[in-house]
Amino acid sequence: MEFGPKIKALRIATGMTAKELAQKIDISPSFISAIEHNSTKLSLKTLSHICDALDVTLSEFFNDEASPIEKRLTTVIQSLPEEKQYDLLKFLDGLNW
C-alpha cells in the first residue's frame, strides 16, 4: 500500500507545509518528502506520529471510503460543539452551488 500521496493530501488539507510537519514530529523535511513520494519505508511508529500531527487517527487514515479532505472535514466538524455544527450546516445550505 502506498501511503505517501495520502499523507501529502492530508498535510495539504490541514494547511501544513512539509517542513512544518517534519518539525512537529522531529524528522527531516527530506524524509517527509521521501515518505510522500513513496521512496522510503515507513514504520508504524512514524506513521502514528504523522497521523497525530495531522490530527487523524490511524483508523481514519486506513479508512479508504473517504478522501483525505473528507476525513479532515469530518474531524473538524465532529470537534465543533453541536450549536456550531448547526451554524455550519445553515451556512453550507445557504451556498449557491
Side-chain angles (χ1 to χ4, degrees):
M1 179 179 231
E2 294 187 347
F3 300 129
K6 197 171 205 176
I7 291 169
K8 184 175 183 176
L10 285 166
R11 177 181 59 75
I12 290 170
T14 63
M16 193 180 303
T17 66
K19 183 177 180 179
E20 290 168 334
L21 177 57
Q23 289 173 337
K24 275 190 152 196
I25 61 171
D26 198 29
I27 61 175
S28 71
S30 61
F31 189 54
I32 291 291
S33 178
I35 290 168
E36 290 182 352
H37 289 94
N38 291 317
S39 58
T40 189
K41 299 269 184 194
L42 179 62
S43 71
L44 184 57
K45 182 178 180 180
T46 301
L47 178 59
S48 178
H49 290 306
I50 290 171
C51 286
D52 287 344
L54 297 174
D55 198 26
V56 174
T57 67
L58 283 171
S59 176
E60 291 169 331
F61 182 83
F62 285 108
N63 178 358
D64 288 332
E65 294 176 14
S67 71
I69 191 69
E70 290 169 329
K71 290 178 186 178
R72 179 70 181 137
L73 285 168
T74 300
T75 301
V76 170
I77 291 168
Q78 288 174 341
S79 70
L80 294 172
E82 188 173 356
E83 178 182 316
K84 294 293 182 185
Q85 289 179 15
Y86 282 113
D87 290 343
L88 178 59
L89 183 58
K90 287 177 191 174
F91 170 77
L92 292 172
D93 284 339
L95 292 176
N96 294 320
W97 301 93

